[in-house]
Amino acid sequence: MVKFSRELEGQLIPEWKDKFVNYRQLKKLVKKIKLSALQSPATPSSDGHSFMGFFSFRLLGPCFRPSNHPTAQEDEESLAEIELVHSGQNEVKKFFERLEEEREKVNNFYITKEAEFCERGEILNKQLEILLDLKRVLHEHTRRRRSSRSFDGVSFSRLTPSSSFSESAAESETPAEEDGSPVGDEMVAVLEKNGVSFIGAPRAKTKKGGKPRAASMRIDIPATTPGRTISAVTSMIWEDLINGQKKEGSCGDYISRKKIQCAEKMIRGAFVELHKGLGLLKTYRSLNMVAFRKIVKKFDKVSNQQASQRYLETVKGSHFIISDKAVRLEDEVESIFIKHFANNDRKKAMKFLKPQQRKNSHTITFFVGLFTGSFVTLFSVYAILAHLSGIFSSTESSYLRTVYPVFSMFALLSLHIFLYGCNLSMWRSSRINHNFIFEFNPNTALKHRDAFLICTCFMTMVVAAMVIHLLLRSTGVFPPHVDAIPGILLLLFTGILICPFNICYRSTRYSFLRVMRNIACSPLYSVLMVDFFMADQLTSQIPLLRHLEFTTCYFMAEGLKTHNYDTCTRSQQYKLVAYIISFLPYYWRAMQCARRYIEEGYDMNHLANAGKYMSAMLAAAIRWKYAAAPTPSLLATVIISSSMATVYQLYWDFVKDWGLFKLTSKNFLLRDELILQNKSIYYVSMMFNFVLRLAWVESVLKLNLGPVENRMVDFLLASLEVIRRGHWNFYRLENEHLNNVGKFRAVKTVPLPFREIESDG
């Protein structure tokens, strides 16, 4: 049977952990009471007296002794008993004082969160009211326009009020007017009725010729970026929701259906998050009630008396138990969502409000084991064939120069996926809510078994291709096309990545492509956690990007026919592209920091972070120059610039990204709050990160090795950098999780479309 303390740890809301009942501490106090009772020479009676009454009886006992004088030994025994009684009384007093403190803590936090969610609910109801009024005006205008056009012999399908607005939003943006009263005026009236203020001119102006013209209005709505959720910190005025446009012979307003549809999507997402928060609040209440019941029963068992019912009545009279505001609001949110966002389809609404969690499948575990065994077997076969064919000898340098970089690229990618799977497993076991931090959908987000399945399947296919390539190469079959196998493998994986069919984790693949698009277009897109987290991964995969460049160049330059390695190594264009690729990840990351600096209130920390990547770019450029033309002066410059960049990076790793090196912390050079119980792991991790940050020293030492050994060293260093990044990932997200815990953020705050702003005039 699982102990309740472990059960509570597994079910509580990680971000609200500090506001739950401290069950372990109360349990320790109960154990102290038990020890005090066991040490007392007398045992409590079972005649209904309370535990406190028992102690009072022990204190008054000496007053009713016989009048004969006690001996010295009896005096010592009586004093010892009195001390034990006082000790037991103090322990009971401490227990009930701490229990009351915990009840007050839970009650106050519940009141705060309940008020927050109720206020959010009122705001959302107001937002929904504005949206429905706008849609009603738009629907009436569309109906009138279609009715008027039907007189000209044109028939249109009628938009019924019960149809979903999203389904009708595919129509183009519509100019609006009727009898000289533009629909924009109706929109303005609706918004003003709901208290939405405007920026700009008065509602009506006079244009040339004395005819009135509708004013240009702007509603304060956060801007969106294509295909993604808006950032909560991004605020921008949407033009043209109601934007006066002058036309020949008429005055009309212009209504954007797409923007109203986007506003509807934002409000729908806000209702989903509100419902999720109310569900968490319900869980918070029930778990704490169970904890109070359990701990008081433990006290009853230890003290051999019945205090649980009396104290539980006090707990049940607390606000967090008797209040039904959250329950009623949750029911209201469900009914609103079913009516306005699911066309009265409860089953459809529950897919949004209460999505079913994906169950762990033993099939995935089976295939992980199957592909792991296949990979080990095929790699052993490849090692034997490579040794027998002597492909790694100096005479077979063409293999190393043309084919091996392709397989090295696949190996580095597989290693990164494997480490990501390890991160997912560690985050899950340590209760780090990575899906919430990355804003992933829990139903479609990868689990650690999924990542391991992708990795093992990936590497099994790669090693199988390597074995087939060696066999065809040694037997002489298809000699002109044998080296096309790596290129075919690359095309196969590219095709799987962009495959439009719902197979092979399509949602994850498309999310990856969207994030890569956002990174490549930095700083044009708002930066979310997942964006800069992935950009950090790219800074550790520069060797992979350069291998990808070579592979693309090699196959496009008809290297399969000529085996001319110099085609893609000595040309100036290739060197220039390689130089750019080496700095692109740092550039993208610096641009993301610049974007965040502007969006997040000109926080200087983001500029300092951008400086870290700029220093890394500068140090890499100097090392590149030194590798091309080594001189003593450049060597000194390399050492100075790289050392400064390394110190900068280590400081940011330890202090900013990991939150360590707190001089005032109760844990030496660590944080006050640590998720891992073994503190030594943090010190070992810092030393490990420090050592791997010094990998640039190898480029300065210039070890005199053979071609095979040089490539193996390069691959080893690239692998170590990927391992360092995977190791960094855990502590980076741990720190982010603790920041959310410190601010009790368990649900997203979705920005709302209609905001009240002051008028300019």
Side-chain angles (χ1 to χ4, degrees):
M1 183 177 178
V2 180
K3 292 184 177 180
F4 177 73
S5 55
R6 293 184 180 179
E7 183 180 347
L8 180 63
E9 287 286 335
Q11 294 183 11
L12 59 77
I13 302 157
E15 291 78 10
W16 296 352
K17 182 178 180 180
D18 293 341
K19 294 301 180 180
F20 274 80
V21 174
N22 194 339
Y23 187 81
R24 290 183 181 274
Q25 187 63 34
L26 292 173
K27 193 175 176 182
K28 289 179 181 179
L29 294 176
V30 171
K31 287 183 179 179
K32 288 182 180 180
I33 295 173
K34 182 179 180 181
L35 291 176
S36 298
L38 291 175
Q39 290 173 358
S40 179
T43 58
S45 61
S46 58
D47 58 352
H49 292 290
S50 67
F51 199 61
M52 296 294 294
F54 161 71
F55 278 121
S56 300
F57 175 78
R58 294 301 307 270
L59 284 171
L60 296 175
C63 298
F64 299 96
R65 289 178 180 274
S67 59
N68 56 328
H69 297 285
T71 62
Q73 183 178 0
E74 289 176 346
D75 287 341
E76 292 178 0
E77 291 178 356
S78 298
L79 290 173
E81 289 179 7
I82 291 172
E83 289 178 0
L84 287 172
V85 168
H86 277 294
S87 175
Q89 277 187 319
N90 291 333
E91 296 301 335
V92 171
K93 183 180 179 181
K94 288 180 182 178
F95 170 75
F96 278 102
E97 286 178 352
R98 185 59 186 267
L99 192 63
E100 186 62 19
E101 289 176 2
E102 293 296 315
R103 188 185 69 84
E104 286 293 328
K105 179 183 73 174
V106 170
N107 200 51
N108 292 336
F109 182 75
Y110 185 90
I111 292 172
T112 302
K113 283 296 176 183
E114 183 185 61
E116 177 185 328
F117 289 137
C118 288
E119 181 182 2
R120 190 70 172 173
E122 292 177 1
I123 295 173
L124 281 178
N125 283 333
K126 188 67 173 179
Q127 294 277 318
L128 181 61
E129 183 182 347
I130 297 172
L131 178 67
L132 293 177
D133 284 344
L134 291 176
K135 289 168 63 175
R136 178 184 55 78
V137 172
L138 186 60
H139 166 68
E140 290 296 326
H141 167 68
T142 305
R143 184 182 60 80
R144 290 195 300 264
R145 285 185 62 251
R146 289 176 175 174
S147 298
S148 63
R149 289 188 181 183
S150 64
F151 289 108
D152 297 331
V154 183
S155 62
F156 295 92
S157 61
R158 182 173 296 274
L159 177 64
T160 60
S162 60
S163 63
S164 173
F165 180 76
S166 300
E167 295 172 359
S168 65
E171 298 183 13
S172 61
E173 298 168 341
T174 312
E177 69 169 335
E178 182 190 11
D179 300 331
S181 177
V183 71
D185 285 344
E186 298 181 40
M187 290 283 192
V188 172
V190 166
L191 294 169
E192 288 182 343
K193 182 188 73 173
N194 288 283
V196 178
S197 302
F198 296 98
I199 294 177
R203 284 195 55 191
K205 294 181 180 179
T206 302
K207 66 175 184 175
K208 294 180 180 180
K211 294 182 180 180
R213 178 170 61 88
S216 175
M217 300 297 180
R218 299 182 293 176
I219 299 178
D220 188 29
I221 299 180
T224 59
T225 52
R228 62 180 296 165
T229 306
I230 35 179
S231 173
V233 298
T234 305
S235 180
M236 184 178 179
I237 293 180
W238 260 12
E239 303 271 0
D240 299 333
L241 179 58
I242 302 175
N243 184 20
Q245 287 194 345
K246 185 177 179 180
K247 295 195 173 185
E248 289 292 334
S250 67
C251 59
D253 284 358
Y254 169 82
I255 302 171
S256 173
R257 287 179 177 272
K258 290 183 179 179
K259 290 179 180 178
I260 298 180
Q261 182 188 11
C262 184
E264 181 184 26
K265 185 177 180 181
M266 293 163 63
I267 296 174
R268 183 186 66 187
F271 270 108
V272 171
E273 291 301 318
L274 176 60
H275 187 272
K276 179 181 177 182
L278 293 170
L280 294 178
L281 197 60
K282 183 191 294 184
T283 302
Y284 177 81
R285 175 173 62 180
S286 61
L287 285 178
N288 280 294
M289 186 61 208
V290 173
F292 280 118
R293 185 182 298 113
K294 291 278 186 181
I295 198 64
V296 176
K297 284 185 177 180
K298 279 187 176 293
F299 173 80
D300 285 353
K301 186 177 180 181
V302 167
S303 63
N304 195 25
Q305 53 99 22
Q306 299 297 322
S308 60
Q309 293 300 324
R310 291 194 299 272
Y311 188 78
L312 287 178
E313 288 177 2
T314 304
V315 176
K316 291 178 180 178
S318 302
H319 180 84
F320 80 97
I321 296 296
I322 63 175
S323 176
D324 63 344
K325 289 182 181 179
V327 176
R328 287 190 285 108
L329 182 57
E330 185 178 19
D331 293 339
E332 182 182 348
V333 169
E334 287 186 7
S335 61
I336 289 174
F337 199 92
I338 293 170
K339 180 179 179 181
H340 297 290
F341 299 103
N343 291 333
N344 293 317
D345 187 344
R346 181 176 179 81
K347 186 176 180 181
K348 179 181 178 182
M350 289 301 108
K351 289 182 180 179
F352 288 95
L353 298 176
K354 295 180 180 179
Q356 296 294 326
Q357 297 291 332
R358 262 195 316 141
K359 296 182 179 179
N360 293 329
S361 173
H362 295 294
T363 305
I364 294 179
T365 306
F366 168 76
F367 279 109
V368 169
L370 177 64
F371 286 125
T372 301
S374 302
F375 164 71
V376 173
T377 303
L378 288 170
F379 188 79
S380 301
V381 172
Y382 171 77
I384 295 172
L385 291 176
H387 177 71
L388 294 176
S389 60
I391 61 170
F392 293 116
S393 64
S394 58
T395 57
E396 288 288 341
S397 58
S398 62
Y399 183 86
L400 291 175
R401 294 185 301 178
T402 58
V403 179
Y404 198 68
V406 183
F407 294 126
S408 298
M409 175 182 63
F410 291 134
L412 290 174
L413 182 58
S414 298
L415 177 61
H416 213 133
I417 297 174
F418 172 76
L419 291 173
Y420 180 66
C422 294
N423 287 143
L424 291 175
S425 178
M426 286 294 296
W427 292 331
R428 177 177 175 272
S429 62
S430 55
R431 301 273 296 166
I432 294 176
N433 195 351
H434 64 280
N435 287 331
F436 171 67
I437 295 173
F438 288 138
E439 299 185 25
F440 288 162
N441 184 351
N443 294 328
T444 57
L446 285 183
K447 297 183 179 180
H448 65 282
R449 290 186 180 88
D450 299 318
F452 291 148
L453 177 62
I454 294 172
C455 171
T456 53
C457 178
F458 194 80
M459 280 309 299
T460 299
M461 295 176 64
V462 170
V463 178
M466 294 169 69
V467 171
I468 294 172
H469 179 265
L470 276 183
L471 289 174
L472 294 178
R473 186 184 178 93
S474 60
T475 56
V477 180
F478 306 115
H481 307 292
V482 65
D483 286 342
I485 293 177
I488 294 173
L489 190 63
L490 180 61
L491 290 176
L492 175 63
F493 286 133
T494 304
I496 294 176
L497 181 63
I498 63 176
C499 177
F501 302 109
N502 192 14
I503 56 174
C504 299
Y505 303 101
R506 183 179 65 176
S507 60
T508 300
R509 290 187 285 108
Y510 278 26
S511 296
F512 172 77
L513 292 175
R514 283 194 296 269
V515 171
M516 293 302 296
R517 177 205 62 191
N518 298 340
I519 294 173
C521 296
S522 299
L524 301 180
Y525 285 85
S526 295
V527 184
L528 299 182
M529 175 70 186
V530 66
D531 295 332
F532 65 77
F533 187 85
M534 180 60 70
D536 278 324
Q537 311 306 305
L538 292 180
T539 60
S540 296
Q541 285 286 16
I542 292 176
L544 183 149
L545 297 177
R546 295 190 61 185
H547 287 326
L548 181 61
E549 179 211 6
F550 170 78
T551 303
T552 304
C553 175
Y554 181 74
F555 288 106
M556 290 182 64
E558 297 184 349
L560 294 176
K561 297 180 180 179
T562 62
H563 291 280
N564 187 3
Y565 180 74
D566 297 338
T567 304
C568 293
T569 54
R570 295 187 179 180
S571 65
Q572 292 299 321
Q573 293 83 356
Y574 177 86
K575 291 181 179 180
L576 178 62
V577 173
Y579 186 81
I580 293 173
I581 286 177
S582 299
F583 298 117
L584 265 180
Y586 296 112
Y587 166 79
W588 288 331
R589 193 66 187 88
M591 290 299 100
Q592 286 181 336
C593 294
R595 174 74 185 234
R596 295 186 69 195
Y597 168 73
I598 296 173
E599 288 184 344
E600 299 184 15
Y602 301 98
D603 186 353
M604 292 302 297
N605 284 324
H606 296 308
L607 284 186
N609 197 12
K612 180 187 71 171
Y613 295 103
M614 298 300 291
S615 68
M617 291 176 63
L618 178 62
I622 296 174
R623 288 199 298 268
W624 186 289
K625 183 68 175 177
Y626 174 76
T631 61
S633 60
L634 273 179
L635 176 61
T637 308
V638 166
I639 294 175
I640 294 173
S641 62
S642 297
S643 298
M644 293 178 63
T646 301
V647 172
Y648 201 158
Q649 292 163 353
L650 287 172
Y651 168 79
W652 207 269
D653 285 346
F654 297 152
V655 178
K656 298 295 184 179
D657 290 339
W658 292 3
L660 305 177
F661 269 85
K662 302 291 185 183
L663 299 180
T664 58
S665 173
K666 62 182 180 182
N667 303 309
F668 180 67
L669 295 181
L670 302 178
R671 313 184 211 97
D672 288 330
E673 297 292 332
L674 300 174
I675 289 183
L676 301 179
Q677 296 181 356
N678 191 346
K679 299 178 185 178
S680 61
I681 296 177
Y682 292 91
Y683 298 112
V684 173
S685 297
M686 287 192 289
M687 185 58 64
F688 181 74
N689 189 72
F690 171 76
V691 172
L692 293 185
R693 279 289 190 186
L694 298 176
W696 58 267
V697 175
E698 189 274 336
S699 63
V700 177
L701 294 178
K702 283 288 184 181
L703 300 177
N704 189 14
L705 302 173
V708 176
E709 289 78 7
N710 278 329
R711 292 189 177 275
M712 292 302 295
V713 169
D714 291 341
F715 177 76
L716 176 62
L717 292 177
S719 300
L720 288 176
E721 173 58 22
V722 174
I723 293 172
R724 187 198 68 80
R725 180 59 63 183
H727 174 258
W728 175 92
N729 288 342
F730 173 80
Y731 297 101
R732 176 66 183 89
L733 229 66
E734 179 197 23
N735 190 36
E736 188 72 19
H737 173 76
L738 290 175
N739 289 335
N740 287 336
V741 169
K743 298 176 182 178
F744 308 110
R745 292 182 300 207
V747 291
K748 293 185 293 184
T749 302
V750 180
L752 301 174
F754 307 109
R755 299 186 180 183
E756 294 186 3
I757 52 179
E758 295 182 358
S759 177
D760 289 345

